[in-house]
Amino acid sequence: MKYKILTIILLGTVLTSIIYVTTREEKKNILAIGDGLSSGMTALNVNGYNYNDYLFDDLKKEQKLKNYYHFHEVDETASSLLNKINNNIPLNSKITIKQAIKEASILTLHIGMDELNNYARKHYLDTTKINAYLNKCEEIMKTISQLNNKKVFLISLYSTHLINRNKIEKINQELKRLSEKYNFTYIDIIEITHNSDFFTLKKNYYPNYKGQEYIYKAIQKELEVKTLKIY
């Protein structure tokens, strides 16, 4: 009888341990890659709150955050970003960009608002330039997909006073196609321009904190759809 009781207790302990290990929430690494939009650059030329920060706050509040890495720079281009990834430059003294990509539970990627608008400010944004940008985007996405098969979110572009909606829609169609090809989740934010409250200055394409929150909510919605809930 004594052995039976001990066996039952031991079995119960083992089962409890298995349930705990298999059901506990794994803490997540966030990696944000991109240009000025990703960094939270504002019309006042200072970094503000960005959509990645909102995500960081929610995961931290729920004690589900392990690390928050950010790799974004104002005026970053697809070409320069690809070079940095290929050269595996360090994010800090402990981790390189490729290692951060591998370890990311949630990776957000946005590139293009700075590059294309800076170009359009001085030149006519033609097919040659657009295709060159898209080709580099595909190389970036291909490289990321080889390193990470988890949740990668590609943030779309939106129209500005420099680039009209028709042209942006065509670019976004290709970005969406590439997202499907590489199993990324495409986040469409083209409608952000419909709300003037999301921008501080009419002729500056950087959104304010309300616009950044709008982008975050679009990501949050997809997180819930993909059952990677943050709450």
Side-chain angles (χ1 to χ4, degrees):
M1 185 67 177
K2 186 182 293 183
Y3 291 113
K4 277 188 176 182
I5 293 173
L6 287 174
T7 302
I8 291 170
I9 292 173
L10 180 61
L11 182 60
T13 302
V14 171
L15 288 174
T16 300
S17 298
I18 292 172
I19 292 171
Y20 172 75
V21 169
T22 56
T23 60
R24 67 176 177 168
E25 185 85 27
E26 181 184 355
K27 291 193 174 183
K28 298 172 176 63
N29 291 326
I30 302 173
L31 172 60
I33 300 177
D35 56 15
L37 181 72
S38 177
S39 72
M41 179 54 62
T42 68
L44 304 177
N45 203 33
V46 293
N47 283 326
Y49 219 66
N50 63 67
Y51 55 87
N52 300 294
D53 294 333
Y54 283 104
L55 180 58
F56 161 81
D57 282 346
D58 278 333
L59 290 174
K60 186 176 181 181
K61 179 175 63 179
E62 296 299 317
Q63 297 184 336
K64 296 177 183 177
L65 179 71
K66 186 176 181 181
N67 293 300
Y68 175 30
Y69 301 119
H70 37 87
F71 191 71
H72 37 224
E73 185 175 341
V74 175
D75 296 332
E76 186 81 273
T77 67
S79 179
S80 61
L81 175 59
L82 178 63
N83 287 336
K84 290 174 181 177
I85 294 174
N86 286 339
N87 290 326
N88 197 24
I89 70 170
L91 286 184
N92 53 44
S93 60
K94 296 181 179 180
I95 194 167
T96 64
I97 178 61
K98 285 189 176 181
Q99 190 61 37
I101 291 172
K102 286 180 182 179
E103 295 180 5
S105 310
I106 303 171
L107 190 159
T108 66
L109 170 65
H110 172 85
I111 194 74
M113 288 302 293
D114 284 348
E115 177 177 358
L116 297 181
N117 280 278
N118 286 342
Y119 188 89
R121 191 174 283 114
K122 299 177 181 179
H123 313 280
Y124 175 71
L125 185 59
D126 58 9
T127 303
T128 301
K129 173 58 183 175
I130 291 172
N131 286 342
Y133 155 77
L134 289 171
N135 287 338
K136 294 299 181 182
C137 283
E138 178 164 17
E139 290 186 56
I140 292 169
M141 295 168 73
K142 181 179 180 181
T143 302
I144 289 175
S145 69
Q146 291 169 342
L147 297 169
N148 188 314
N149 60 0
K150 296 177 185 176
K151 296 293 180 291
V152 183
F153 297 88
L154 179 70
I155 318 299
S156 79
L157 306 181
Y158 50 87
S159 58
T160 69
H161 69 288
L162 295 167
I163 310 174
N164 64 51
R165 185 181 176 106
N166 183 56
K167 192 166 287 188
I168 289 296
E169 284 179 343
K170 291 179 179 178
I171 297 171
N172 279 345
Q173 285 175 5
E174 185 62 16
L175 290 176
K176 185 177 181 180
R177 184 190 71 79
L178 291 173
S179 294
E180 292 170 353
K181 179 178 179 179
Y182 293 102
N183 199 31
F184 288 13
T185 299
Y186 178 74
I187 305 295
D188 187 358
I189 60 167
I190 195 169
E191 304 300 338
I192 192 173
T193 56
H194 286 184
N195 192 331
S196 60
D197 289 342
F198 292 161
F199 298 88
T200 303
L201 298 178
K202 189 175 182 180
K203 289 195 173 183
N204 188 289
Y205 58 83
Y206 287 130
N208 55 32
Y209 73 95
K210 291 181 181 178
Q212 290 284 352
E213 185 179 22
Y214 168 86
I215 300 171
Y216 161 66
K217 286 181 177 179
I219 298 171
Q220 180 192 44
K221 183 178 179 180
E222 288 298 328
L223 281 169
E224 292 173 348
V225 168
K226 300 295 183 183
T227 69
L228 187 63
K229 295 185 178 181
I230 58 176
Y231 295 112

